[in-house]
Amino acid sequence: MTRSHRRTVPGRTDLAIRILAATFIAGLLQMPAWHARADSAPAQSGASDAKTLAKIDEIFADYALDSHIPGMVYGVVADGRLVHVHGLGVQDFESKRPVTADTLFRIASMTKAFTALTVLQLRDERKLQLDILAENYVPEMRSWKYPTQDSPRIRVRDLLNHTGGLVTDDPWGDRQTPLPEAEFSRFLRAGVPLAHAPGTAMEYSNLGFALLGRTITNASGKPYAETIARTLLQPLGMQSSGFSVDAAPADRRALGYRWEDDTWQPEPTMIHGAFGAMGGLQTSANDYAKWVAYLLSAWPPRDDADIGPVKRATVRELAHGSNFPRLRQRAGHSGADACRQAATYGMGMWVAVDCDLGLTLSHSGGYPGYGSHVLLLPDHGVGIFALANRTYAGPSGAVWDAAVALHDAGFFKDGSLPVSADLASAYLAVGTIYREGDVGAAGDRLAMNFLMDRDAQGWRRDLADLRKKVGECDTTATVKPTGTLSGDFTWRCSHGRVAGSVLLAPTQPSSIQSLKLAVKAP
């Protein structure tokens, strides 16, 4: 695989070099076939993209300066490629090597998505089940005492969704990474106090994902790290990524630091152990971009060949939430003025609907010596991530601000669904109805409920009244699908515009169950 990245030191770089590097990356980084998105590329190009990417660089440079970050790297993935990547600062203070796209960082809890998807793949392989008790795979849990007599016992799905009743364990869980497996077994056999009855609340638990790591080991018959490598890292070409951090080339590793007493202090390197499944993965921007592109390639559902390494439908299950939704403000400077998000924890990812960005999957990573964040925008085929080497660095605000900047600049592609043959046919009938002023013009295209909900005479009056207000309309305007069997449209007319929607019934052949037409408000 051909790679290209910029080697930078702290400070600003000439804009021409920045844009040349981004273009070079987009042209040379050849992803495997499953990364390709054939629908469209980002909407803007040339000078507009240059200005937008310069804004992204400014956002992250300000964050790194204000947050006392020794070194960091951030990237934008779009259309299946790493289209922009930039390193700031140094890998370590001893060598002062600049951060590059190949610098290796621990990504902390962003590891959880790798764990979750591997669990789902083992489910697909019929090696485990999500809705049976976790103690079937982790026998040490069988002696646990539950908070009430009517508490259900913990299922594998509960661990994935953080609904197993375990207490939030940051920062205790972070320091457990090197715990030996035998000691972990002794810890589990002694019992673990629960904060809730399982299935009654969502509470984030690193221990829960350590249990999933043990589940993976026992269900697969291979150690957790080996199974992750075989299932995901190797098929995706993430050759530099893994859990044995000390085995990586020293000249590529970003060492971890904490900001304490107005200075940077080194954090000890934690080796891989029983809690690695919750946060121990080490990777680079070049490698992690492959993961981001792969996840995004699962959207939208389609008929293309599904060549894995995990089925697209299974990847989309990462967005299946815990049914304990909450309202939250968007991270970053734009959050205070943005509408609140409806958010829930899926499987290894926070899932939220944002009024500007659409469906979002995101996760932060906080760890001794490291901090990170990733944001996926499946509606637009875009992902943004940042990796830093400062304890509990929180680049989430910068990542979300970068996403908003891309949105405001028109960088995102149109995420519209394709128009199905049924919807296209029904939309033609809607145009005929308006031009004729009579729903009878649709013939047998009306569902059995249609004239029961509003009779033909009433429809003729409504259509006549609408035509008096707006006149003749161009009914050939594009319909925007909201699903395979529904769509919205806007017609330009002689004296204004008409806003409409059409909804089809679940019948064969398809039929119109609902039609709405109204003067569009100014």
Side-chain angles (χ1 to χ4, degrees):
M1 178 174 291
T2 302
R3 295 176 180 168
S4 173
H5 60 264
R6 295 166 48 207
R7 297 184 177 272
T8 58
V9 294
R12 302 303 175 92
T13 311
D14 183 82
L15 179 60
I17 297 176
R18 179 181 297 138
I19 303 309
L20 177 62
T23 304
F24 191 53
I25 293 162
L28 292 186
L29 187 60
Q30 301 297 314
M31 292 292 183
W34 40 256
H35 281 95
R37 297 180 60 92
D39 38 12
S40 109
Q44 301 295 310
S45 61
S48 179
D49 265 357
K51 184 177 180 180
T52 302
L53 296 177
K55 174 63 176 177
I56 301 303
D57 288 343
E58 181 179 351
I59 289 170
F60 283 104
D62 287 346
Y63 162 75
L65 180 63
D66 295 339
S67 301
H68 306 290
I69 303 298
M72 70 178 298
V73 66
Y74 55 90
V76 177
V77 175
D79 200 29
R81 300 186 302 274
L82 180 60
V83 298
H84 188 62
V85 62
H86 188 19
L88 293 169
V90 295
Q91 296 180 173
D92 64 88
F93 289 121
E94 290 73 25
S95 71
K96 293 184 170 50
R97 293 186 183 91
V99 171
T100 75
D102 284 319
T103 298
L104 297 167
F105 291 82
R106 303 292 286 271
I107 62 170
S109 287
M110 282 159 50
T111 304
K112 288 182 170 69
F114 291 84
T115 300
L117 190 57
T118 300
V119 169
L120 293 174
Q121 174 64 6
L122 289 171
R123 184 276 318 273
D124 288 353
E125 295 172 353
R126 300 175 182 255
K127 293 181 178 178
L128 62 75
Q129 299 178 49
L130 301 188
D131 291 312
I132 68 172
L133 301 185
E135 63 195 46
N136 286 330
Y137 306 106
V138 187
E140 294 87 347
M141 297 175 65
R142 289 174 180 162
S143 61
W144 285 16
K145 304 297 183 184
Y146 283 75
T148 63
Q149 289 295 325
D150 63 354
S151 294
R153 301 184 77 79
I154 299 169
R155 305 169 301 165
V156 175
R157 187 183 300 276
D158 296 324
L159 298 176
L160 285 168
N161 291 154
H162 292 300
T163 57
L166 298 165
V167 71
T168 296
D169 53 3
D170 291 331
W172 172 85
D174 297 334
R175 296 291 182 178
Q176 307 309 310
T177 298
L179 187 71
E181 294 289 350
E183 189 172 336
F184 186 42
S185 294
R186 288 193 294 272
F187 169 82
L188 296 177
R189 283 194 293 268
V192 173
L194 298 183
H196 309 278
T200 61
M202 181 270 162
E203 187 161 350
Y204 188 86
S205 171
N206 291 304
L207 171 58
F209 266 71
L211 288 167
L212 288 173
R214 177 63 65 86
T215 298
I216 288 172
T217 294
N218 291 343
S220 69
K222 299 289 185 181
Y224 165 83
E226 182 179 333
T227 305
I228 297 292
R230 172 183 56 82
T231 304
L232 297 172
L233 303 183
Q234 293 169 5
L236 296 179
M238 298 176 67
Q239 303 298 334
S240 297
S241 303
F243 293 86
S244 299
V245 295
D246 286 337
D251 61 355
R252 290 182 53 197
R253 285 190 57 213
L255 300 184
Y257 298 89
R258 65 182 182 273
W259 180 253
E260 186 175 79
D261 298 329
D262 295 327
T263 188
W264 283 298
Q265 300 290 339
E267 289 275 17
T269 296
M270 293 189 291
I271 64 171
H272 177 63
F275 272 64
M278 67 85 191
L281 185 64
Q282 179 174 258
T283 190
S284 67
N286 274 331
D287 264 15
Y288 193 73
K290 300 172 188 177
W291 167 249
V292 171
Y294 168 63
L295 295 183
L296 290 169
S297 74
W299 283 269
R302 57 195 184 277
D303 293 328
D304 299 357
D306 198 347
I307 59 176
V310 179
K311 293 187 300 184
R312 289 194 296 267
T314 300
V315 173
R316 294 193 294 270
E317 287 186 65
L318 296 178
H320 289 190
S322 62
N323 296 320
F324 293 96
R326 61 190 65 185
L327 291 176
R328 70 179 191 186
Q329 293 299 131
R330 177 197 294 159
H333 293 296
S334 67
D337 299 323
C339 64
R340 288 191 291 177
Q341 300 172 341
T344 187
Y345 199 89
M347 298 184 182
M349 285 282 189
W350 278 99
V351 184
V353 177
D354 185 277
C355 16
D356 297 317
L357 304 175
L359 174 66
T360 68
L361 280 72
S362 64
H363 213 290
S364 290
Y367 207 62
Y370 302 93
S372 53
H373 193 79
V374 61
L375 171 62
L376 306 181
L377 306 172
D379 293 343
H380 308 292
V382 172
I384 307 166
F385 63 89
L387 317 175
N389 62 339
R390 198 212 77 192
T391 297
Y392 300 136
S396 57
V399 169
W400 284 82
D401 283 344
V404 173
L406 293 175
H407 169 271
D408 292 347
F411 183 87
F412 295 155
K413 69 179 181 65
D414 181 5
S416 296
L417 298 170
V419 179
S420 68
D422 285 340
L423 180 59
S425 177
Y427 183 55
L428 289 175
V430 170
T432 302
I433 288 172
Y434 185 80
R435 291 191 300 273
E436 297 293 330
D438 185 356
V439 292
D444 60 0
R445 296 307 310 274
L446 303 180
M448 56 83 62
N449 69 289
F450 192 91
L451 293 178
M452 297 174 70
D453 298 333
R454 178 68 167 163
D455 63 25
Q457 184 176 355
W459 267 105
R460 283 192 290 270
R461 288 196 300 268
D462 293 343
L463 290 166
D465 182 62
L466 184 60
R467 289 172 65 88
K468 285 180 182 178
K469 293 177 180 178
V470 299
E472 297 295 327
C473 298
D474 177 10
T475 61
T476 64
T478 302
V479 62
K480 182 177 181 180
T482 53
T484 304
L485 301 177
S486 60
D488 298 331
F489 52 89
T490 300
W491 293 337
R492 297 188 68 86
C493 310
S494 303
H495 314 300
R497 293 185 295 165
V498 166
S501 65
V502 60
L503 174 65
L504 307 189
T507 59
Q508 289 287 7
S510 63
S511 55
I512 300 172
Q513 64 167 307
S514 174
L515 173 63
K516 296 179 181 179
L517 298 170
V519 176
K520 186 173 179 64

